[in-house]
């Protein structure tokens, strides 16, 4: 299925394009055995009625509908009006539900067309995609291999071209593992960024709705439509102005943490380590990533709490009573995991919470070293026979790089990273702090285009799809502040630490336009210049640096600025206007005009040479 932009162009140029697209989807579904992908389908006639409704909207009005005519699917633990919600267990459904989950409502209001609800590991318990009475979905690359779960059908629906995007859920990695095994983007948003109301929970305090798409650009559009506070969802969150500040996304370099070789694990696979190293090399050499090796062990210790600790009891809180009353209708592995919750006490829970907080201190210390983490999405792929022989052991191995993410309140995106010699796909995952979702999508798009060629399981070229943002036109995230410095705050100068200790990042070196003069101020310790705007001046552009500072750090930085310096608008030689250091006009009366040096560094170098 084409990406959002391609479909929109088709609909503009072909008046029958929307009807043809939706009809072709239903023809494919009815003409081939796609049953393992779907649990329930929107009736064809209802979808066609939706097409006719959308077709009445003028081309000019369509710009208000960012998902106009875009087909999508949702995992069957997400409510859709008129369809049952089974969560992968037929007996769980109590007939058609009355209302859409808020996310489904938002997508339809944005013009999207729902095709159906997809298969899943029962009660979202598993990373394999085989624990369903509706059948097991396979990887679109090899039917002997699992699709990954629990959002199996949602990933396969996108990778096989049945829909443009889909919704899944992610507690332990269910929005990322299926993305790897089907060569698509899997965005695991920050917990609480998307409403989880109308979703059957697995672990309510950890769950989030995930997004599957062919490209990061499409995922970004879907995220922009679905994100937002839901006052009726207890875990919905409103990010602060500085939440997820990501100045590194527009800096010339970014610090990327990679696990040390001894803490990388592929469980005997020989191809994935090679592709992971290739990804590291490309990110370092082609994308200017600064590699920082770190010990993954504290993160692995966090991960072990998810299934070997009392968080399993939260699954029982969600569906335990139902499971107890319908034991014969529950997948044996799912039943074993959920009923294990009875082994834990309230004391165990508090002790685990204490241990998690202790481990957070260790992981937070590691995060000071890098901006974003890069890991394999999964260590290896498994065949159906292998999973059947050791369902819990191999499920645990799949979560090696995923299980810690939600416990630590991190955001993540799985990115296709090449095809193995045996034809199976490989994937890497970017992980960073809560609310860095947009920055991860931007970087993820660059990595995707550097490592992959085709989209999903198709022969369509990734290069033919729109880039999310390029390095040259990337807009500054709203939670950061650009500031220009001209003197003692420049790189290598005595006050530069005031920026770096606030984790500000150097963006670029540039010049003012010609209407500025630079003065060496008297009686300043350390020595400082003063930049003054002089209208119609015939000076030369003054060198300065642009730094990005997190919004929550800028006030404390500005508070340290002494008189006669201040912050004002500075006009650059390329026409851009930024905030930066200026001087009060009265302060230059007895100051030396050093404009002809073109910048503070040149002036300092000249004084050193003369001495």
């Amino acid at each position: 299925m084409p990406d959002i932009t391609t479909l929109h162009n088709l609909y503009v140029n072909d008046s029958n394009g929307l009807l043809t697209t939706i009809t072709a989807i239903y023809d494919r579904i009815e003409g081939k055995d796609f049953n393992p992908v779907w649990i329930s389908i929107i009736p064809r006639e209802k979808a066609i009625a939706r097409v006719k409704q959308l077709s009445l909207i003028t081309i000019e009005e369509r710009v208000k509908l960012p998902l106009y005519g875009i087909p999508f699917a949702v995992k069957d633990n997400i409510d859709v009006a008129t369809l049952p919600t089974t969560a992968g267990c037929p007996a769980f459904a109590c007939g058609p539900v009355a209302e859409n989950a808020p996310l489904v409502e938002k997508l339809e209001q944005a013009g999207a067309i729902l095709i159906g609800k997809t298969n899943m590991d029962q009660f979202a318990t598993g990373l394999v995609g085989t624990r369903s009475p509706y059948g097991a979905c396979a990887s679109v690359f090899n039917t002997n291999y699992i699709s990954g779960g629990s959002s199996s059908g949602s990933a396969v629906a996108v990778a096989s071209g049945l829909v443009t995007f889909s919704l899944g859920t992610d507690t332990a990695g269910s929005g990322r593992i299926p993305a790897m095994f089907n060569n698509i983007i899997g965005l695991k948003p920050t917990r609480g960024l998307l409403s989880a109301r109308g979703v059957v929970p697995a672990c309510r305090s950890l769950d989030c709705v995930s997004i599957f798409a062919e490209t990061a650009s499409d995922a970004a559009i879907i995220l922009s439509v679905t994100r937002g506070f839901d006052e009726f969802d207890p875990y919905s969150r409103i990010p602060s102005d500085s939440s997820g500040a990501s100045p590194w996304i527009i800096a010339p370099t970014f610090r990327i943490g990679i696990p040390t070789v001894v803490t990388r694990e592929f469980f005997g696979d020989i191809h994935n380590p090679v592709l992971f190293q290739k990804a590291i090399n490309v990110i370092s050499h082609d994308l200017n990533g600064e590699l920082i090796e770190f010990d993954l062990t504290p993160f692995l210790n966090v991960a072990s709490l998810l299934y070997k600790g009392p968080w399993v009891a939260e699954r029982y809180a969600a569906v335990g009573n139902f499971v107890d009353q319908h034991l014969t209708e529950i997948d044996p592995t799912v039943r074993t995991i959920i009923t294990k919750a009875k082994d834990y006490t309230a004391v165990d829970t508090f002790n685990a919470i204490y241990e998690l907080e202790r481990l957070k201190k260790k992981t937070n210390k590691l995060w000071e070293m890098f901006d974003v983490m890069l890991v394999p999405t999964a260590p290896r792929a498994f065949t159906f026979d292998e999973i059947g022989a050791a369902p819990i052991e191999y499920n645990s191995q799949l979560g090696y790089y995923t299980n810690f993410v939600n416990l630590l309140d991190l955001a993540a995106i799985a990115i296709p990273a090449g095809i193995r010699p045996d034809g199976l796909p490989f994937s890497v995952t970017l992980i960073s702090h809560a609310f860095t979702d947009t920055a991860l999508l931007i970087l993820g798009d660059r990595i995707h285009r550097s490592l992959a060629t085709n989209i999903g399981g198709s022969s369509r070229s990734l290069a033919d799809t729109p880039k999310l943002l390029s390095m040259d036109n990337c807009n500054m995230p709203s939670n950061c502040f650009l500031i220009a410095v001209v003197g003692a705050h420049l790189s290598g100068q005595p006050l530069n630490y005031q920026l770096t200790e606030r984790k500000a990042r150097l963006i670029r070196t540039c010049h003012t336009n010609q209407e500025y003069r630079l003065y060496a101020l008297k009686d300043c310790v350390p020595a400082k210049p003063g930049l003054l705007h002089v209208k119609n001046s015939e000076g030369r552009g003054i060198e300065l640096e642009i730094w990005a500072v997190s919004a929550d750090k800028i006030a404390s930085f500005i508070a340290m600025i002494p008189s006669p310096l201040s912050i004002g608008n500075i006009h650059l030689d390329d026409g851009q206007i930024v905030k930066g250091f200026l001087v009060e006009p009265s302060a230059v009366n007895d100051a030396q005009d050093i404009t002809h040096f073109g910048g503070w560094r040149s002036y300092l170098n000249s004084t050193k040479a003369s001495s």
Side-chain angles (χ1 to χ4, degrees):
M1 182 59 58
D3 61 275
I4 293 173
T5 299
T6 299
L7 282 178
H8 281 171
N9 290 337
L10 170 66
Y11 300 159
V12 169
N13 296 317
D14 182 354
S15 59
N16 291 318
L18 177 53
L19 178 61
T20 300
T21 297
I22 302 304
T23 300
I25 292 173
Y26 279 88
D27 288 345
R28 282 190 66 198
I29 292 173
E30 294 169 4
K32 186 177 178 182
D33 184 13
F34 280 112
N35 286 337
V37 177
W38 304 99
I39 290 180
S40 58
I41 298 283
I42 297 292
R44 181 194 283 253
E45 58 272 18
K46 185 175 180 179
I48 297 304
R50 170 79 165 149
V51 168
K52 292 179 180 179
Q53 177 190 43
L54 289 171
S55 297
L56 298 175
I57 300 173
T58 65
I59 292 177
E60 291 73 21
E61 292 174 328
R62 291 178 193 174
V63 296
K64 301 176 183 177
L65 301 175
L67 296 176
Y68 175 88
I70 305 301
F72 76 105
V74 301
K75 187 175 180 178
D76 198 25
N77 59 346
I78 300 173
D79 284 348
V80 170
T82 75
L83 295 180
T85 297
T86 73
C89 179
F92 183 75
C94 299
V97 301
E99 296 180 345
N100 286 332
L103 290 188
V104 176
E105 195 68 23
K106 282 187 174 184
L107 293 168
E108 291 192 331
Q109 289 176 355
I113 299 177
L114 181 63
I115 302 301
K117 304 186 74 177
T118 55
N119 204 353
M120 57 181 286
D121 277 323
Q122 197 171 73
F123 296 119
T125 303
L127 295 174
V128 293
T130 64
R131 302 169 184 174
S132 169
Y134 296 97
C137 294
S139 165
V140 297
F141 287 83
N142 188 323
T143 56
N144 292 322
Y145 282 81
I146 63 171
S147 62
S150 61
S151 308
S152 54
S154 290
V156 173
V158 173
S160 59
L162 292 170
V163 293
T164 299
F165 74 92
S166 65
L167 299 184
T169 59
D170 190 306
T171 303
S174 297
R176 291 160 278 162
I177 300 297
M180 170 168 160
F181 293 164
N182 293 282
N183 203 42
I184 59 174
I185 293 289
L187 175 65
K188 188 222 77 67
T190 300
R191 290 186 350 234
L193 188 62
L194 277 61
S195 171
R197 187 157 52 97
V199 179
V200 178
C203 294
R204 191 183 297 272
S205 66
L206 300 180
D207 293 343
C208 63
V209 175
S210 63
I211 295 169
F212 294 106
E214 293 182 331
T215 67
S217 179
D218 277 4
I221 294 171
I222 299 153
L223 179 65
S224 69
V225 169
T226 53
R227 66 184 297 167
F229 180 69
D230 179 357
E231 62 177 318
F232 300 108
D233 175 2
Y235 285 95
S236 186
R237 300 156 73 183
I238 300 176
S240 68
D241 291 340
S242 60
S243 293
S246 310
W248 47 268
I249 196 58
I250 60 168
T253 63
F254 57 95
R255 302 172 304 161
I256 187 155
I258 56 172
T260 56
V261 173
V262 295
T263 57
R264 298 178 202 173
E265 182 59 77
F266 296 93
F267 297 104
D269 188 276
I270 60 172
H271 299 305
N272 289 349
V274 176
L275 287 175
F276 184 57
Q277 188 58 52
K278 178 184 176 182
I280 291 171
N281 294 341
V282 167
I283 292 170
S284 174
H285 298 151
D286 298 350
L287 301 180
N288 296 321
E290 178 188 353
L291 303 180
I292 309 291
E293 285 202 345
F294 71 98
D295 183 357
L296 190 63
T297 302
F299 294 91
L300 300 177
N301 291 338
V302 170
S304 68
L305 294 174
L306 189 60
Y307 281 104
K308 296 179 181 178
W311 272 272
V312 173
E314 194 168 14
R315 294 181 181 270
Y316 189 87
V319 296
N321 289 335
F322 175 86
V323 170
D324 286 342
Q325 296 168 17
H326 300 81
L327 290 176
T328 60
E329 296 170 274
I330 308 301
D331 176 272
T333 304
V334 173
R335 184 172 65 237
T336 297
I337 293 170
I338 293 178
T339 57
K340 184 182 178 182
K342 299 176 182 180
D343 297 338
Y344 293 99
T345 68
V347 173
D348 294 329
T349 300
F350 280 108
N351 284 335
I353 291 172
Y354 303 152
E355 176 64 7
L356 177 59
E357 291 303 313
R358 186 185 71 81
L359 290 169
K360 280 181 180 179
K361 299 296 187 294
K362 287 189 173 183
T363 60
N364 288 341
K365 194 69 176 176
L366 291 170
W367 274 110
E368 295 178 3
M369 300 164 54
F370 45 85
D371 305 307
V372 62
M373 181 193 301
L374 180 80
V375 296
T377 299
R380 55 163 295 188
F382 291 99
T383 66
F384 283 101
D385 289 343
E386 288 171 326
I387 291 298
I392 293 180
E393 177 187 355
Y394 289 153
N395 187 96
S396 178
Q397 290 183 12
L398 285 174
Y400 187 85
Y401 296 107
T402 61
N403 285 349
F404 60 83
V405 175
N406 276 337
L407 279 168
L408 292 174
D409 194 18
L410 303 170
I413 179 173
I415 309 150
I419 304 298
R420 297 152 43 109
D422 60 5
L424 294 174
F426 177 66
S427 168
V428 295
T429 292
L430 291 174
I431 303 169
S432 195
H433 302 289
F435 301 108
T436 59
D437 308 74
T438 298
L440 288 177
L441 282 163
I442 294 170
L443 181 56
D445 190 54
R446 298 172 191 162
I447 294 173
H448 190 191
R449 295 175 187 280
S450 298
L451 296 174
T453 303
N454 294 338
I455 295 174
S458 75
S459 59
R460 289 181 291 119
S461 173
L462 176 62
D464 293 337
T465 64
K467 293 181 179 180
L468 177 54
L469 287 171
S470 72
M471 197 66 164
D472 296 328
N473 65 11
C474 174
N475 295 319
M476 189 63 201
S478 60
N479 49 17
C480 289
F481 189 95
L482 291 180
I483 190 164
V485 299
V486 295
H489 288 92
L490 292 167
S491 299
Q493 296 302 306
L495 297 183
N496 182 249
Y497 76 91
Q498 294 179 356
L499 288 167
T500 57
E501 71 180 7
R502 289 169 173 77
K503 298 185 179 179
R505 299 300 295 272
L506 174 63
I507 304 303
R508 63 187 176 114
T509 300
C510 52
H511 292 80
T512 69
N513 68 19
Q514 294 184 348
E515 293 189 332
Y516 288 87
R517 305 200 70 82
L518 191 66
Y519 298 86
L521 303 178
K522 283 190 173 183
D523 303 324
C524 289
V525 180
K528 300 185 185 75
L531 183 70
L532 184 66
H533 182 232
V534 180
K535 194 170 181 61
N536 299 321
S537 171
E538 296 183 359
R540 57 185 293 187
I542 304 301
E543 182 186 64
L544 45 75
E545 291 178 349
I546 308 294
W547 286 73
V549 188
S550 172
D552 64 339
K553 303 290 197 308
I554 193 64
S556 65
F557 177 73
I558 291 176
M560 300 174 71
I561 299 173
S563 179
L565 300 178
S566 62
I567 297 293
N569 290 328
I570 298 178
H571 296 254
L572 305 182
D573 59 2
D574 62 2
Q576 185 180 1
I577 301 175
V578 296
K579 302 294 182 183
F581 281 82
L582 293 172
V583 68
E584 298 169 8
S586 61
V588 304
N589 292 335
D590 57 352
Q592 178 186 355
D593 188 329
I594 57 172
T595 305
H596 59 283
F597 288 101
W600 183 241
R601 284 197 186 91
S602 295
Y603 167 72
L604 292 179
N605 290 336
S606 71
T607 59
K608 290 178 183 177
S610 61
S611 62

